[in-house]
Amino acid sequence: MIPAILVFIYLAVVLYIGIFAFRKASGKKEAEDFFLASRSLGPFVFLFSLFGTNMTAFAILGSSGHAFSNGIVTFGLMASSSGLVIPLTLFLIGTRVWALGKKYGFMTPVQMFRDRWECGHIGTAIFVIQAVLLVPYIIIGIMGGGTTLNAISGGLVPYWFGGAIVALVVMSYVFFGGMRGTAWVNTFQTILFLLFGAIAIIVIGKGMGGFSSAVQAMAASPVFAPLLTRERISPLYFFSYTFIPLSAIAFPHILIFCLTAEKMSHFKKTVIFYPLCILAIWLPCVFLGVMANRVSDVPQIRAKQEARRVLATQGKTMTPEARDDLREKAAGDDVIMLLLQRYAPLWLAGLLGAGIMAAVMASDSQILALSTMFTEDVFAHYGGKRRFGESVQVLTGRIFVILITIFAYAVALRAPETIFELAIQYAFSGYAALSPLLVAALFWKGSTKWGALAVTLWTAASVVAVAIFQHAVPAPAPGPATLVWSLSGYEVLTRTPGGTAVLGFMPVVPMVIVSSLLMIVVSMMTRKPTPATVAKYFVDVERKNEPALSIKNSK
Amino acid sequence: MKRTLLIIAVIALYVLHQDFWFWRTAHPLVFGFVPIGLFYQACFSVAASLLMWMLVKFAWPSHLEREIEQQRPEEDATN
């Protein structure tokens, strides 16, 4: 119970920082202050809060759980590719969105799209798809909270109650503190979970008597040796995953966060240190997730391994429901906490548990982003701000925070998927498919609102299609995928144990490619925005016939 | 020229992420316990950070900053 008490103390500290420590700056616009912290974040807070915003429950729980089942491939799949793609998109897109936000006062991506492509309702369509895809991300945070508190307390705090506590704490500091409170809480949390990785690996390594003998024993075992390589994952699947980090910049909470920097130069440290921050947190978590397979004296871990073994050996003869049940039992989302309970002293397990909670509670930014989007893209756009004033707009945003949190909590209680699967299958792939919107808006003068609509509708349709397909065709047992459609001997569509494959790629690859093609083809066939609007985004257009938003050295 | 080299560097690093040469082996174990595939990807992250430093150093879009700076005095004057 001591670790759980320490985690509750941590939650109280977070609540204090979020609610009381960072009140509204005087003399600022009310809405801009609540939703964007008056665009005044410094370099340190900007780096840590932006990074923290992007690290969800899955950075610690999902990564170690995935590594427990799949091995070291987890790091290359998700961490190192993100370490390249995400800072690159922050450099290319984030800086430009920041500049446009400063210049024209945008507070959400949809505001920019509406202005860039001279559209109204198409912007609303983009808002709807963004909002629908963001909700699963919020649910992940609440699920992670429930899982974490349940595991840290040794089962004394039930899952439903843990999720409720996390939801309540996050909702409170977002409600009162807005973006400023959220940013400072994120900064505090990021520092905590960056420390977490280093401490956890030292403590657990010491407890296990060093890693050398454990790794060598695994390498010699036919059952566990594949976890130290990537032989269970196909190179096409590995390649597909490099498309997933494109989702980061398309996530509204990340793009909105880009608008909070006081100066563009604050992006410099963020861009440079982002890959190292990812390394610091993911490497220990992935490694420890793999090492958990060598721990034979923790009954819960043994039960997971047994479920995995039964699934692999008898899965083919089981019903889909029985397979799903075993998959849930084999899921390793809580292995890192089980390791801490086994090897760390109680007080340290509590502190490290607080570090895990820090990552779990990243849903704050998503809740705030959704509230910002609703109040700006719907309430203000359709005349609410003009009729009722800015104070009512902020109040609407706060009420929205409560409603969306309650909704997410209710879904989290019923959702059967693991944290990791839920995130990847819907939100990440969908947002990656939306990323061509940003590229087209910022880098292509010829893009049009109809191209944007085509991308939005395609994203919605493809996400729904993948969801329906995976519901209709049950996941096979570990081993060969189920072939659903082949053409001239090529496997076009297959159902894999972990999801869906299109020509061997994850669905995200065709989703992004088709999105890009639709933007190009439809834009070429439809009417462009007026030259005056295009000139706002490509200021050099008249002077040099060269986009102002291209890479160029100023020196 | 500088811009071309930077673009090549980004593409090269992206390609290097697909390290099929360490696909099916855990050996050598770096420091006695880190499988080579994991070590490679950790080094890749450090290389990504270095690449970002180069982009910031040699391709920073300062013209956008200047635009905002120029806009501020105009706003102050109108206020």
Side-chain angles (χ1 to χ4, degrees), chain A residues 264-281:
Chain A
M264 201 173 89
S265 57
H266 296 350
F267 279 83
K268 289 181 178 175
K269 282 191 178 66
T270 305
V271 165
I272 294 169
F273 287 108
Y274 203 98
L276 299 180
C277 287
I278 286 192
L279 179 69
I281 202 148

Side-chain angles (χ1 to χ4, degrees), chain B residues 39-78:
Chain B
F39 182 74
Y40 176 90
Q41 291 293 334
C43 292
F44 178 91
S45 300
V46 177
S49 182
L50 287 173
L51 178 66
M52 293 307 135
W53 174 81
M54 284 166 63
L55 286 172
V56 164
K57 177 89 176 159
F58 300 114
W60 187 248
S62 311
H63 59 291
L64 296 176
E65 270 176 319
R66 277 200 305 274
E67 266 179 48
I68 302 300
E69 290 304 317
Q70 283 164 6
Q71 187 191 358
R72 273 184 188 155
E74 286 168 22
E75 277 176 1
D76 294 343
T78 52

